[in-house]
């Protein structure tokens, strides 16, 4: 439950900045495209949340599925947030998959050590 609460707060903050960035990028579009795009993105976000909630309640009895769902959500959020940082790290030089691999191995090691300490 605590991880779900933290994840929902983190997603809310991310969606706020994503919305600001999206709206700023639409400034050069026609007014009807801006309104339609902002409306549809908001509606689809709510629909996706409802579908996710429904799916989450269907797997309520399976502890393994709950852990898998939360792990996927956490990893997806981490990937989305850090992808920009990894792109910035590679800017001006050649892309190295070693940087990406080390980052995600470090994250995985932290999760494993946390589970082993319980």
């Amino acid at each position: 439950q605590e991880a779900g609460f933290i994840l929902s707060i983190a997603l809310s903050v991310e969606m706020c900045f994503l919305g600001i960035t999206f709206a700023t990028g639409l400034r050069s579009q026609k007014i009807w495209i801006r309104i339609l795009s902002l409306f549809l993105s908001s509606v689809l976000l709510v629909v996706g949340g409802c579908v996710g909630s429904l799916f989450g309640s269907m797997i309520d009895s399976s502890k393994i599925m709950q852990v898998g769902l939360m792990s996927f959500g956490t990893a997806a959020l981490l990937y989305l947030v850090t992808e920009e940082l990894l792109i910035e790290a590679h800017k001006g030089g050649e892309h190295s998959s070693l940087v990406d691999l080390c980052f995600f191995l470090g994250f995985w090691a932290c999760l494993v050590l946390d589970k082993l300490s319980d």
Side-chain angles (χ1 to χ4, degrees):
Q1 284 181 339
E2 182 179 329
F5 179 71
I6 292 171
L7 189 59
S8 66
I9 297 297
L11 278 171
S12 298
V13 170
E14 181 186 2
M15 288 298 122
C16 173
F17 288 108
L18 184 63
I20 292 169
T21 304
F22 185 61
T24 302
L26 289 174
R27 285 192 302 181
S28 62
Q29 298 295 325
K30 296 177 183 173
I31 188 72
W32 67 272
I33 292 176
R34 285 188 276 181
I35 292 172
L36 184 65
S37 297
L38 292 174
F39 176 74
L40 283 178
S41 64
S42 301
V43 168
L44 290 175
L45 186 62
V46 172
V47 168
C50 292
V51 170
S53 177
L54 178 66
F55 179 68
S57 65
M58 289 180 357
I59 63 166
D60 196 31
S61 60
S62 173
K63 185 71 171 169
I64 292 173
M65 291 296 286
Q66 286 178 353
V67 170
L69 183 65
M70 291 303 293
S71 299
F72 176 78
T74 304
L77 177 64
L78 181 67
Y79 177 75
L80 290 173
V81 170
T82 58
E83 183 169 333
E84 280 299 315
L85 295 175
L86 292 173
I87 289 172
E88 287 294 321
H90 297 306
K91 223 176 219 179
E94 189 176 313
H95 180 273
S96 170
S97 297
L98 182 62
V99 174
D100 301 344
L101 179 66
C102 288
F103 175 79
F104 288 108
L105 283 176
F107 176 69
W108 175 77
C110 289
L111 289 175
V112 169
L113 290 173
D114 181 54
K115 290 299 176 189
L116 290 175
S117 68
D118 287 346

